[in-house]
Amino acid sequence: MKLKHFCVILLYSLTFTTLSSLIASQTCKNFCGKIPIKYPFGTGPGCGDPRFQQYVTCDQEKLTLATHTGCYPVTNIEYSSQVIYISDPSMSTCACTQTGKGFGLDWDAPFSFHDDTVFTLLDCSTTSSPIYKTDGAYDPDSNTTVIPQCDRAGGPICSFLYSCRAISLLNLPISTCCVYTPVDLGPSFEMDLQKLQCSSYSGFYSFNGQESNPENWKYGIALKYKFNVFNDYPSSCANCERSDGVCGYGGVYNTFVCNCPGGLNTTSDCFFRSSYNHSNCLIFSLAYFLVRIFSV
């Protein structure tokens, strides 16, 4: 009698232990809030590409990009063109002006500025800011030749910005607006407003078809990313996503894993799930059959 009870308990334990591993929740998610998540991004540790994990994170259904200058909400990701869009709450727009510290990318971050991204420096000192030194002028303080960092072709952009009421309230001449294109940020990808002696900046990545109407420009920062040195989408990841899985990584060497619905990880894809569902039924049936035998 005791042996029978022991067998029944053992069967229940084995059955539910097996099933719990099959029906566990999926670790990696396809969405963070309303933003679809695909490779190389992820919603948590072990999801996406490990190179991106420390920079783009999902917390409380909010996707955020982190750099050494702050944390910035991700507003959209265009996977077809490999562009991620972020906003900076301290950025000045046509609707309001704010004091900020600038924006910078970490030197080892897997991102670069999109060619459409345009930065404008606002409220800069015309007497001491390095951006207003004469072209090729010699700077005795640093013993170097200083080259202006403003794009002279960007004059109309400054004029349009100063048509915004919020920016016009700065009550400063248009000469204190400087179009500061990403190529001018240098190898450190740094825009330090304190060093440049400007109190504010604005950024946008599209005129939205209305070049003369800054109220409708798309304000924010557009960043490019690459999958790898050859920019090839990993075939193993493509197969994983086609099978309703989420690309991830694991192990000591951060090797590829496919995170499948049910919480199972594989090294290929999730097309095996139908066989697991069938095995699930078999486990229930076998457990029920054995329990009936031992209960007699």
Side-chain angles (χ1 to χ4, degrees):
M1 189 71 177
K2 292 182 178 179
L3 178 62
K4 182 172 69 174
H5 288 167
F6 173 77
C7 292
V8 171
I9 294 173
L10 179 62
L11 283 170
Y12 273 121
S13 299
L14 291 174
T15 300
F16 287 109
T17 298
T18 304
L19 290 175
S20 62
S21 65
L22 291 174
I23 62 177
S25 60
Q26 190 171 10
T27 303
C28 301
K29 306 299 182 182
N30 292 312
F31 280 84
C32 181
K34 296 182 179 181
I35 299 180
I37 301 299
K38 296 175 60 178
Y39 183 87
F41 306 107
T43 56
C47 306
D49 187 316
R51 295 181 305 131
F52 291 80
Q53 179 61 52
Q54 64 177 313
Y55 299 105
V56 179
T57 57
C58 179
D59 184 29
Q60 297 181 351
E61 298 301 315
K62 295 180 180 179
L63 201 62
T64 303
L65 171 77
T67 78
H68 65 280
T69 56
C71 295
Y72 308 92
V74 176
T75 57
N76 189 29
I77 302 177
E78 288 184 358
Y79 292 99
S80 59
S81 54
Q82 296 172 227
V83 180
I84 180 172
Y85 299 92
I86 64 171
S87 63
D88 181 359
S90 68
M91 176 190 296
S92 293
T93 66
C94 195
C96 65
T97 55
Q98 303 185 80
T99 300
K101 60 181 180 180
F103 178 83
L105 286 174
D106 295 1
W107 68 269
D108 58 347
F111 299 100
S112 60
F113 290 102
H114 193 279
D115 293 339
D116 292 340
T117 298
V118 176
F119 292 120
T120 56
L121 304 177
L122 303 170
D123 192 13
C124 304
S125 171
T126 56
T127 58
S128 57
S129 175
I131 65 175
Y132 290 113
K133 299 214 174 178
T134 307
D135 191 1
Y138 177 74
D139 184 3
D141 296 331
S142 61
N143 196 30
T144 58
T145 299
V146 179
I147 300 176
Q149 301 176 69
C150 297
D151 184 353
R152 293 176 178 174
I157 291 177
C158 286
S159 299
F160 292 138
L161 278 175
Y162 268 83
S163 69
C164 299
R165 175 174 172 77
I167 294 178
S168 66
L169 289 177
L170 290 173
N171 196 28
L172 296 168
I174 294 178
S175 61
T176 60
C177 172
C178 167
V179 174
Y180 193 71
T181 54
V183 70
D184 297 323
L185 295 180
S188 61
F189 301 107
E190 186 78 21
M191 179 176 54
D192 188 335
L193 293 186
Q194 183 177 5
K195 184 177 180 180
L196 295 169
Q197 297 189 37
C198 304
S199 67
S200 181
Y201 86 99
S202 179
F204 63 94
Y205 52 84
S206 173
F207 291 110
N208 205 23
Q210 302 183 54
E211 287 79 358
S212 60
N213 187 2
E215 290 186 359
N216 292 328
W217 293 356
K218 292 187 177 180
Y219 291 92
I221 302 170
L223 302 173
K224 297 185 294 184
Y225 64 88
K226 295 176 65 174
F227 301 122
N228 46 54
V229 66
F230 301 109
N231 203 24
D232 296 327
Y233 199 91
S235 58
S236 56
C237 184
N239 293 333
C240 173
E241 291 180 340
R242 276 196 293 268
S243 64
D244 203 25
V246 180
C247 303
Y249 58 93
V252 178
Y253 300 103
N254 288 334
T255 54
F256 167 79
V257 295
C258 182
N259 185 244
C260 302
L264 293 170
N265 288 341
T266 75
T267 57
S268 55
D269 53 50
C270 303
F271 286 119
F272 67 92
R273 280 184 300 150
S274 58
S275 62
Y276 264 83
N277 290 335
H278 180 63
S279 299
N280 189 356
C281 295
L282 289 178
I283 291 172
F284 265 125
S285 301
L286 179 60
Y288 177 76
F289 175 72
L290 292 176
V291 169
R292 288 296 302 271
I293 291 177
F294 283 104
S295 299
V296 175

